[in-house]
Amino acid sequence: MEPSDKRDDTEEVLPPPPPPSVIPPDGVGVPVNPEHTSESVKKAMMPKRVPVSRRGFGSRGQKIQLLTNHFKVGISNAGGHFFHYSVALSYEDGHPVEMKGVGRKIMDKVLETYDTELSVKDFAYDGEKSLFTVGALPHNKLEFTVVLDSVSSNRSNVVSRNTENGSHDGNESPEGADRKRLRRASQSKTFKVEISFAAKIPMQAIASALRGQESENSQEALRVLDIILRQHAAKQGCLLVRQSFFHDNARNFTDLGGGVLGCRGFHSSFRATQGGLSLNVDGSTTTIIQPGPLVDFLIANQDARDPFQLDWSKAKRTLKNLRIKVKPSNQEYRIVGLSENLCKDQLFALKNKGNDDEGIEVTVYDYFVNYRKIGLHYSGDLPCINVGKPKRPTFLPIELCFLVPLQRYTKALTVHQRTTLVERSRQKPQEKMAILTDVMKTNNYEADPLLRSCGISISAQFTQVEGRVLPAPRLKAGNGEDLIARNGRWNFNNKRLAEPSKIKNWAAVNFSARCDTRGLCRDLARVGETKGIFIDPPIDIFEENPQFRRAPPMVRVEKMFEQMKPQLPDGPPHFIVCLLPDRKNSDIYGPWKRKCLAEFGIFNQCLAPGRVNDQYLMNVLLKINAKLGGLNTLLAIEPSRSIPLVSKVPSIIFGMDVSHGSPGQSDIPSVAAVVSSRCWPLISRYRASVRTQSPKVEMIDSLFKPVSDKDLGIIRELLLEFYVSSGQTKPTQIIIFRDGVSESQFNQVLNIELDQIIEACKFLDEKWNPKFTIIIAQKNHHTKFFQAGSQDNVPPGTVIDSKVCHPTHYDFYMCAHAGMIGTTRPTHYHVLLDEIGFSADDMQELIHSLSYVYQRSTNAISIVAPVRYAHLAATQVSQFIKFDDSSDTSSSHGSLTSVGGPPVPELPKLHDKVCSSMFFC
């Protein structure tokens, strides 16, 4: 966060407006400076492919009446215009105002002071450089001067390096002009405001968007409406995070531990739908710093007994840029650091008024206690808080500092914090409906003058929609027996797995977990036998040497392998069960997986045993069987070759996802994973290929990777595996499920990623022209569905493709799973391309069926299995480098250099024994 002397900088700015459309009405791209544009950027800017339009609606399934959290919006002023103005804010001397958050205060003052010059027009201001009005301002260019009361430090209650009874001396620092402004700010600041006409946006563009005629104007018009809602929330003192708003109300807070609070708020955004314009309102959650005494936060954050046990180097990193208020003045500052010395030892020069000498040196502690007469109980033996400038520090005793409310906590949460946040954010369907109904009442949008002048009216009633419940697909267990799914679930009572594996030549290792390892191995074999998995006794069981329990994770893994080697003269075992001591996120996990999968090619299953019973062991065996090449269940339509279109000709299914580092880890490489089906005509067997790429990059850049006369990319590897496992046949149809991309990235998937896949195919066979279908799977959205008057979630298999879907794009919502906890979050599927030519019903039933082939569980999952597998593969393999992220990127496993960025460490190659397996299960 940048320095600011305003509280409003809690606001997180919206993304910039979309770039001007480069797709003319006829859909043909127009070149834009081709000689200065990279190939990939050109493809994104000038898409040769655009998302397909809806071809029809589904009809299969039992109809069901539902409610959704979309609220109908009416527009009575469709013939009006929004006028867009650019805003430039500067100080008196012409320097631009770069302080984050001060803009709203300035513009509020402009409206208050110059209402006549503005023709008393209300405006919507985005907090940055854009302002919108309904109808034009009197002139295309307006300039104003406003004076704000002091928003900077009250010097009488802080001590600076050079202080004259608490005030600055007259010496200028190198930032002379800025210092002058700061000195004047002890009373007030003067700002210049320049408002210039930029564009005229017809409200009719919204109606055009509802007819499917989207344009830059329609996107901008909806953006203006969203900005009006943000301004509406800002005036209520909310924390703004994009289109989510959070009130400072203790009822909305939940303690996550470590000085961090979960904060419940709400999201709102205008959406163009088949049923007209709607306002999508949903619950939203963020994390904030615990407000109140600064020292209490630090104690909680570090789990310390008292302030004298704190790690101050860690505290310095944690506190940087947080905002505090100081007692007794109640003035607000931003923390820049800590003093080098304790409060009772930190000296500064105290000057007397009217005296030009150097002054006397006193400690910060003495100044506050003896000069300011402020009692300090424990600050003397702690560092001071620095709220000054780099060359002119300003120190405050810590016990006078209080963290202001609604400051976002943006660092990665611990496992405990994340679990607590998820658990306490859950809301049953009727509870969520009640909360959203209350939000619509308290927001009182009818009273907003701008919405009124737009002619906007917002219904307070949930929109009614019609859904359809698809029947669950038939499943097959062992010996061809049917498995009946009820409410999206099934069990293996008195049944065997479809294709059980045999476990021979295996061992167990225990990294100091409190567990009867031999007993667990016996129970595993007993339960496995009932399901058709025959497990030989382990060749050996290895307990970790106690002297290595506190060693680094990599050392513990190495020592375990050294311990095993003499007892395994015939080489590494085929399979190892590994018992870990930690229930969640064991730091041994990454090094262990890397050693087994990359170095030795050993199949393995990690357990963190707590309460071990037969159901737990059954769930473990599902994973083991899938990893070793078995199948737990399969769809009845797979062996019978009755999947529409997919079973008729060789077809491969891809699931694609990218895993990024935690929010606070900007230098950790992202990991891209693609899984592919194998053994056609089955769609229940998969394998994965994983690569690293530049941090936070969502587009996968290694699908096709020509090096000399070879292709080292992901797709070639997967296509060759399909060819070998499917009877020497190439797929003539390729179905791609892509996770993790937003609507603004659809064209990149269609014109960058798809081009790479086509090039990989052509590299194998120039004459090969498979047909493609591309579907985006989104979970990160805010549409929910409810059964009116029911406490239950919508039933599994519910699909909605009308009313709240896009006016023309091919999209639909599906709740394939049974939501047992909280409110079901549907998956939003967008079909971007369909050269194969699925009907709406066949497309929806394929996706529904793919939610039932997930081998790790006995229930339907919320998203197609290939996407879930891709996520699992990316997450698991990212652990390979997680423990090594601080090492030299030019290590033995090589590195990739991303264009314009630092080298990206390459992942170790999976061993040939395991690379074609479902190791990620």
Side-chain angles (χ1 to χ4, degrees), residues 192 259 263 363 453 604 608 712 736 819 832 911:
K192 291 181 180 177
C263 181
T363 66
S453 59
N604 64 97
L712 303 180
I736 300 167
L832 302 189
H911 197 283

Side-chain angles (χ1 to χ4, degrees), residues 356-376:
D356 293 333
D357 60 21
E358 291 293 322
I360 59 170
E361 287 214 323
V362 298
T363 66
V364 175
Y365 181 85
D366 285 342
Y367 173 77
F368 277 90
V369 172
N370 299 320
Y371 287 79
R372 306 302 305 166
K373 306 300 182 187
I374 297 172
L376 298 177

Side-chain angles (χ1 to χ4, degrees), residues 357-609:
D357 60 21
E358 291 293 322
I360 59 170
E361 287 214 323
V362 298
T363 66
V364 175
Y365 181 85
D366 285 342
Y367 173 77
F368 277 90
V369 172
N370 299 320
Y371 287 79
R372 306 302 305 166
K373 306 300 182 187
I374 297 172
L376 298 177
H377 302 289
Y378 56 83
S379 294
D381 294 312
L382 302 175
C384 302
I385 302 300
N386 182 7
V387 295
K389 299 293 178 180
K391 296 189 177 181
R392 189 174 293 181
T394 303
F395 297 122
L396 299 164
I398 194 168
E399 67 189 271
L400 301 184
C401 302
F402 294 76
L403 289 161
V404 302
L406 295 181
Q407 297 190 74
R408 286 189 76 200
Y409 182 79
T410 56
K411 295 178 175 60
L413 297 178
T414 65
V415 173
H416 170 75
Q417 288 172 332
R418 190 164 55 248
T419 302
T420 305
L421 181 63
V422 170
E423 288 176 352
R424 297 185 183 177
S425 299
R426 290 172 179 151
Q427 295 164 341
K428 287 288 187 182
Q430 291 301 314
E431 181 187 358
K432 180 174 279 290
M433 287 187 73
I435 289 171
L436 296 182
T437 299
D438 185 59
V439 165
M440 293 302 294
K441 287 179 182 176
T442 56
N443 279 337
N444 192 23
Y445 289 128
E446 299 80 13
D448 189 281
L450 261 177
L451 288 177
R452 284 207 309 269
S453 59
C454 299
I456 295 285
S457 59
I458 302 172
S459 169
Q461 303 301 313
F462 286 74
T463 297
Q464 293 187 345
V465 296
E466 183 176 87
R468 291 171 289 111
V469 182
L470 302 179
R474 261 189 329 126
L475 299 171
K476 289 289 184 182
N479 303 321
E481 290 188 79
D482 285 337
L483 270 178
I484 306 302
R486 292 184 174 85
N487 196 33
R489 295 175 172 272
W490 59 94
N491 62 61
F492 284 97
N493 291 345
N494 304 315
K495 289 184 172 61
R496 295 193 167 199
L497 304 183
E499 293 183 18
S501 54
K502 292 183 179 180
I503 303 179
K504 301 178 180 180
N505 185 25
W506 71 287
V509 303
N510 184 353
F511 281 98
S512 303
R514 294 179 179 177
C515 178
D516 175 8
T517 312
R518 291 189 181 278
L520 186 144
C521 292
R522 286 194 301 269
D523 290 341
L524 199 65
R526 175 179 55 80
V527 175
E529 187 176 357
T530 66
K531 303 307 169 192
I533 299 178
F534 293 99
I535 305 174
D536 287 350
I539 53 179
D540 211 335
I541 292 174
F542 301 91
E543 300 283 346
E544 183 180 33
N545 189 326
Q547 74 182 80
F548 300 123
R549 287 180 183 176
R550 297 190 180 277
M554 292 177 66
V555 172
R556 295 177 72 180
V557 171
E558 290 291 342
K559 291 297 182 183
M560 180 61 79
F561 270 87
E562 289 175 12
Q563 183 180 339
M564 289 192 292
K565 190 173 181 180
Q567 307 302 318
L568 302 170
D570 297 328
H574 180 64
F575 173 71
I576 298 178
V577 168
C578 173
L579 306 184
L580 300 175
D582 304 310
R583 293 283 298 163
K584 292 280 188 179
N585 284 16
S586 171
D587 54 6
I588 299 172
Y589 183 86
W592 174 260
K593 286 290 183 181
R594 178 171 178 164
K595 193 81 172 174
C596 288
L597 296 176
E599 193 169 330
F600 289 103
I602 302 171
F603 293 94
N604 64 97
Q605 178 64 51
C606 292
L607 309 180

Side-chain angles (χ1 to χ4, degrees), residues 90 121 123 144 165 172 175 273 299 355 462 528 538 629 705 802 820 877:
S90 61
K121 278 201 184 298
F123 51 67
F144 303 109
N165 283 355
E172 286 190 13
E175 303 97 345
T273 70
I299 290 171
N355 194 336
F462 286 74
K705 206 162 195 67
S802 62
M820 308 303 290
V877 176

